[in-house]
Amino acid sequence: MNKLLKFFLPVFLLAACGGTSATPDDEEDVPLPAPKEITVKVMSYNIHIGNPPSKPADYRDLEAVANVINIQKPDLVALQEVDVNTKRSGTTVDQAKELARLTGMHYFYTKAIDYQGGQFGDAVLSRLPILESKRYELPVTTQLGGETRSVAMVTVEKEGHKFLFASTHLDHLGPEDNRILQANELVKIVKNLPLPLIIAGDLNAQPTSTTMNILFQQLGSGCPAACPPTFPAVTPTRTIDYILLHPMNKFSVKNFRTITETYASDHLPLVAEIQLKK
């Protein structure tokens, strides 16, 4: 019996293995899982210092602004025309901090100018933890004067993708001199950034303007085609609010639209869903 077992055992094992022994070349390639698509939802919103245009100039409704944000549930929001401790909006009212509280988001605020005992500027709200934050100043020309402007920029990370997000608001005066100067300064800033950037805001410039031509040297438009009009909120006729990207090959825009919300501000909010690429 022992001799029979010694004879048949290799035969049984060979049959159980399909008759041949497997080698690495014979194994089927197992496909790797497709990389997960990481998408961030961003919003740009000039909040008109929380003053609904249908209300008196001294009326504030930050809850209405927060409601617009909460309905959309963005990961990141670029806010412009934000008052902090000013006489006109309340000397104890930090609008950036209050909107962060009302939306349950982190925030970073930067001053553009001192105003009425407080400050007027830009802010970022973020559902993602803010890893770093930085303020940049955008100048005005000596001849034209006007208000200096700021860039509120934060570093965030989503599922292994680290990138920058920023809010800004360019000069509003009729002549384009300040906006051109500010656009050139912004291009210099963007050239030296270590990470991909999404920047959004009220640029007070139409798509064919010299200002936008300068910015488009370094920043790609988030609009898949013609950018929609954003101002005024009721029957908008001018495209002056934007979501811009640098470099374009690090992003893919999945959706870009205005939100039809005419009460809370004199600008329509912009929302985009943007895929992040390695």
Side-chain angles (χ1 to χ4, degrees), residues 241-256:
D241 299 88
Y242 298 85
I243 296 171
L244 304 175
L245 311 166
H246 173 83
M248 279 299 292
N249 64 1
K250 293 295 184 181
F251 303 100
S252 176
V253 181
K254 298 299 183 182
N255 188 286
F256 189 101

Side-chain angles (χ1 to χ4, degrees), residues 45 48 66 70 91 123 133 140 146 154 177 183 226 231 235 247-248 257 266:
Y45 203 8
H48 197 237
N70 287 332
T91 56
S133 58
V140 295
V154 299
D177 305 53
F231 181 85
T235 316
M248 279 299 292
R257 65 193 185 278
D266 59 347

Side-chain angles (χ1 to χ4, degrees), residues 4 9 12 15 18 33 35 37 61-62 65 71 79 81 90 92 103-104 107-108 122 140 179 186 204 224 249 278:
L4 289 173
L9 186 57
F12 291 148
E37 182 178 289
D61 193 346
L62 290 179
V65 174
I71 289 172
L79 300 174
E81 294 195 16
T92 61
T103 59
Y107 80 101
F108 174 60
D122 309 287
V140 295
R179 287 188 292 279
L186 194 52
N204 279 309
N249 64 1
K278 282 290 188 182

Side-chain angles (χ1 to χ4, degrees), residues 86-159:
T86 64
K87 183 178 178 181
R88 67 181 175 187
S89 294
T91 56
T92 61
V93 178
D94 181 332
Q95 291 189 334
K97 184 177 182 179
E98 179 63 5
L99 285 171
R101 184 187 71 81
L102 291 169
T103 59
M105 300 173 80
H106 308 285
Y107 80 101
F108 174 60
Y109 169 83
T110 60
K111 176 188 79 170
I113 59 170
D114 293 312
Y115 191 81
Q116 290 187 349
Q119 299 176 355
F120 172 75
D122 309 287
V124 166
L125 300 179
S126 177
R127 210 165 299 281
L128 307 168
I130 295 175
L131 306 178
E132 295 180 32
S133 58
K134 187 169 183 178
R135 174 187 183 270
Y136 295 91
E137 185 169 302
L138 302 179
V140 295
T141 63
T142 305
Q143 297 81 3
L144 192 59
E147 302 172 353
T148 58
R149 299 292 177 153
S150 72
V151 179
M153 187 178 295
V154 299
T155 303
V156 293
E157 184 175 355
K158 185 171 184 179
E159 299 180 40

Side-chain angles (χ1 to χ4, degrees), residues 12-271:
F12 291 148
L13 292 175
L14 189 60
C17 294
T20 59
S21 60
T23 66
D25 293 336
D26 296 323
E27 295 177 357
E28 291 185 6
D29 291 334
V30 178
L32 295 173
K36 185 178 179 183
E37 182 178 289
I38 308 300
T39 301
V40 292
K41 188 175 185 180
V42 304
M43 174 184 281
S44 181
Y45 203 8
N46 180 324
I47 66 168
H48 197 237
I49 60 173
N51 170 226
S54 62
K55 297 292 186 179
D58 61 351
Y59 185 86
R60 300 290 179 270
D61 193 346
L62 290 179
E63 288 81 4
V65 174
N67 189 50
V68 175
I69 297 168
N70 287 332
I71 289 172
Q72 294 302 316
K73 296 180 174 59
D75 295 298
L76 295 151
V77 186
L79 300 174
Q80 304 86 48
E81 294 195 16
V82 182
D83 268 357
V84 172
N85 306 133
T86 64
K87 183 178 178 181
R88 67 181 175 187
S89 294
T91 56
T92 61
V93 178
D94 181 332
Q95 291 189 334
K97 184 177 182 179
E98 179 63 5
L99 285 171
R101 184 187 71 81
L102 291 169
T103 59
M105 300 173 80
H106 308 285
Y107 80 101
F108 174 60
Y109 169 83
T110 60
K111 176 188 79 170
I113 59 170
D114 293 312
Y115 191 81
Q116 290 187 349
Q119 299 176 355
F120 172 75
D122 309 287
V124 166
L125 300 179
S126 177
R127 210 165 299 281
L128 307 168
I130 295 175
L131 306 178
E132 295 180 32
S133 58
K134 187 169 183 178
R135 174 187 183 270
Y136 295 91
E137 185 169 302
L138 302 179
V140 295
T141 63
T142 305
Q143 297 81 3
L144 192 59
E147 302 172 353
T148 58
R149 299 292 177 153
S150 72
V151 179
M153 187 178 295
V154 299
T155 303
V156 293
E157 184 175 355
K158 185 171 184 179
E159 299 180 40
H161 289 67
K162 189 179 288 188
F163 63 100
L164 302 166
F165 182 77
S167 174
T168 195
H169 183 193
L170 300 190
D171 183 78
H172 66 291
L173 299 178
E176 205 175 356
D177 305 53
N178 281 345
R179 287 188 292 279
I180 290 172
L181 180 65
Q182 291 165 358
N184 279 312
E185 182 65 23
L186 194 52
V187 165
K188 292 178 186 176
I189 293 168
V190 170
K191 282 181 178 179
N192 295 312
L193 293 176
L195 293 169
L197 167 71
I198 302 172
I199 183 168
D202 173 7
L203 305 184
N204 279 309
Q206 302 227 47
T208 57
S209 64
T210 302
T211 299
M212 295 310 301
N213 286 334
I214 293 169
L215 291 175
F216 287 147
Q217 293 174 16
Q218 287 294 320
L219 292 155
S221 174
C223 311
C227 293
T230 57
F231 181 85
V234 179
T235 316
T237 57
R238 299 170 59 198
T239 300
I240 57 176
D241 299 88
Y242 298 85
I243 296 171
L244 304 175
L245 311 166
H246 173 83
M248 279 299 292
N249 64 1
K250 293 295 184 181
F251 303 100
S252 176
V253 181
K254 298 299 183 182
N255 188 286
F256 189 101
R257 65 193 185 278
T258 55
I259 304 301
T260 305
E261 207 300 318
T262 60
Y263 168 74
S265 174
D266 59 347
H267 286 243
L268 292 178
L270 278 176
V271 172

